[in-house]
Amino acid sequence: MDTIHKIGRRKTAVARVYVSEGTGNMTINGKDLPAYFTTGTLQYKAKQALLLTDNLESFDITVNVFGGGVTGQAEAIRLAISRALCELDAENRLILKPEGLLTRDPRMVERKKFGQKKARKKFQFSKR
């Protein structure tokens, strides 16, 4: 098996994932998974596609991720790994699609409007 390269995005985070056969090592920006994502929730998000398809110990995964915050990065990694698993085996798609792991979340931060405090915080209207 050759190395499979896939890209995942979430908010402003972009993850490039390289999947190859191995023993289950996951390296993110040169660090192992628990060193990069310190909370259990983020570690679960990054490994979710592998857990659902029972491939946790089957592949070595190298990730380059930049931009956004830690949650956006974890979800970008999840999308990229899901795409790679679908390319490896078409049956994985039947498992991952109902969970929503193959859908790119299009939500982005709304821009700030001038004359207002935030994007949606309108000042109180007064007739006089």
Side-chain angles (χ1 to χ4, degrees), residues 3-20:
T3 302
I4 293 176
H5 171 239
K6 288 290 174 187
I7 293 175
R9 293 187 181 93
R10 171 75 171 97
K11 291 189 176 181
T12 55
V14 180
R16 291 176 297 165
V17 170
Y18 301 91
V19 179
S20 57

Side-chain angles (χ1 to χ4, degrees), residues 30-81:
K31 298 179 181 177
D32 58 333
L33 181 71
Y36 195 82
F37 292 128
T38 52
T39 64
T41 309
L42 294 174
Q43 290 175 23
Y44 173 74
K45 276 186 183 177
K47 294 188 291 190
Q48 189 174 0
L50 296 167
L51 291 167
L52 289 171
T53 56
D54 296 323
N55 287 321
L56 196 57
E57 314 259 308
S58 310
F59 302 107
D60 282 345
I61 298 173
T62 307
V63 182
N64 293 327
V65 65
F66 62 92
V70 285
T71 305
Q73 287 186 351
E75 291 179 14
I77 291 168
R78 179 174 70 182
L79 177 62
I81 291 173

